[in-house]
Amino acid sequence: MSPTTHAIAAYVVTILLLWGYAVTLWLSVRRQRNNNQDTPGTIGEGSDLS
Amino acid sequence: MNTVKSKLCMAYWLVTASLFAGAVVMVFVWTPTEQTMGVVQKIFYLHLPVAINTFAACMVTFIASIGYLWQRRQVWDDLAVSSAKVAVLLCSIVLLTGMIWGHSAWGQWWTWSPRLTFSLVLWLLYVAYLVIRPSIESRQRRALVSAVYGVVAFLDVPLVYLSVKLMPDIHPSSIGLAPEMKTTLLFCFLPVTMLAVGLIAARYRLQRAETLSMQEAEDPPLDTIAADPAGGFT
């Protein structure tokens, strides 16, 4: 592998891990918010997630 | 109010993503290539900010653990576990980018130098923190054991930082940078730090919701029990 390939590989790995986790969390927060809207009166109502 | 909050969150993530993209462009287009190591040195602009943010995430777990031991409030435990999860992710990136850099610079993926070893120990300590937690059933006991562990695990952070200064190590302890390189490095700290803060905050929101949901399941409110013909015993 050339040094350029090494550098690009490091950036790709970092971007995939960091932003992959960010997207996963975003989807989870959205799902949680939707669940709270579907079932009013459950935990989370009036919390940050609603 | 919540719509405003959602929009602010979205704006935060958009700014972070834009800054991150800008940082990558800056590294590969604007910053001059280092003469000795060549292009592979550009890994450093990501490796160092992620490493510093790993320490910061471990520090958040440490402070939250002390907060729990002091006040015994569940919010501290939620914050501690949220930042520990982000610390594991960031530490994994530090190890991976370091290994890729090492393969190019030293010709090997891994060497048991003090800094690398202590970094691996740090990763293992926080992975163990996350693995041990679910094995403890009682919420209070889990939070207490995690808090004590969170305080002890943080002791490895100064070892990672100081190992390269106190012991002979193949890992560079400091690198001389040209002014453009310094500017790029400082700029790279911004999106990486914003991303780490955003990840801890998002993880914490989810953790709080999970905890509240579990608390509700364990201790249902009195009106729910009253409404249940079986008195909540089914």
Side-chain angles (χ1 to χ4, degrees):
Chain A
M1 280 205 294
S2 71
T4 310
T5 316
H6 277 101
I8 291 170
Y11 275 79
V12 169
V13 164
T14 306
I15 289 166
L16 284 178
L17 284 175
L18 278 179
W19 288 99
Y21 189 56
V23 169
T24 309
L25 285 181
W26 177 68
L27 290 173
S28 304
V29 169
R30 217 173 64 148
R31 195 175 55 227
Q32 194 102 38
R33 194 188 296 148
N34 290 341
N35 286 348
N36 287 341
Q37 280 169 356
D38 290 345
T39 53
T42 54
I43 280 297
E45 190 186 32
S47 73
D48 288 347
L49 292 161
S50 57
Chain B
M1 184 63 190
N2 285 326
T3 319
V4 174
K5 216 170 181 178
S6 300
K7 280 181 180 168
L8 280 175
C9 271
M10 189 58 84
Y12 181 87
W13 284 108
L14 283 175
V15 169
T16 307
S18 308
L19 287 171
F20 200 97
V24 173
V25 171
M26 205 170 168
V27 166
F28 283 100
V29 178
W30 184 73
T31 314
T33 305
E34 208 261 347
Q35 287 178 345
T36 318
M37 283 186 279
V39 186
V40 80
Q41 184 268 344
K42 290 181 187 291
I43 294 173
F44 172 74
Y45 302 112
L46 215 52
H47 182 74
L48 183 66
V50 175
I52 299 295
N53 276 285
T54 304
F55 296 160
C58 294
M59 172 84 90
V60 173
T61 301
F62 174 70
I63 292 168
S65 300
I66 290 175
Y68 182 82
L69 291 174
W70 189 15
Q71 297 183 332
R72 301 296 164 107
R73 287 179 61 204
Q74 187 60 35
V75 283
W76 288 119
D77 182 58
D78 290 336
L79 179 60
V81 68
S82 305
S83 56
K85 282 178 181 175
V86 176
V88 167
L89 174 78
L90 295 175
C91 196
S92 307
I93 293 169
V94 172
L95 290 171
L96 286 171
T97 54
M99 283 166 72
I100 294 169
W101 182 85
H103 188 250
S104 185
W106 307 326
Q108 51 190 354
W109 294 105
W110 186 262
T111 173
W112 293 101
S113 81
R115 175 161 280 186
L116 271 68
T117 307
F118 283 125
S119 301
L120 181 64
V121 169
L122 186 72
W123 184 80
L124 288 170
L125 280 169
Y126 282 85
V127 167
Y129 175 95
L130 299 177
V131 170
I132 289 167
R133 278 180 65 88
S135 66
I136 306 167
E137 273 191 32
S138 158
R139 193 159 20 95
Q140 283 85 0
R141 189 165 174 76
R142 180 169 58 229
L144 182 64
V145 171
S146 301
V148 173
Y149 189 99
V151 171
V152 176
F154 184 74
L155 295 177
D156 190 48
V157 171
L159 288 176
V160 175
Y161 181 73
L162 293 172
S163 58
V164 80
K165 297 181 191 299
L166 300 177
M167 289 179 250
D169 201 318
I170 192 171
H171 191 285
S173 59
S174 62
I175 296 174
L177 295 172
E180 295 96 332
M181 293 175 175
K182 277 184 187 164
T183 309
T184 304
L185 179 62
L186 288 175
F187 186 81
C188 285
F189 266 97
L190 190 61
V192 172
T193 306
M194 285 178 75
L195 193 49
V197 170
L199 290 177
I200 293 174
R203 187 55 247 173
Y204 175 72
R205 282 173 70 172
L206 281 171
Q207 194 67 37
R208 281 305 296 152
E210 283 166 20
T211 302
L212 291 170
S213 163
M214 273 194 290
Q215 277 175 348
E216 172 115 320
E218 286 169 18
D219 315 308
L222 286 174
D223 55 343
T224 315
I225 297 170
D228 182 355
F233 288 102
T234 51

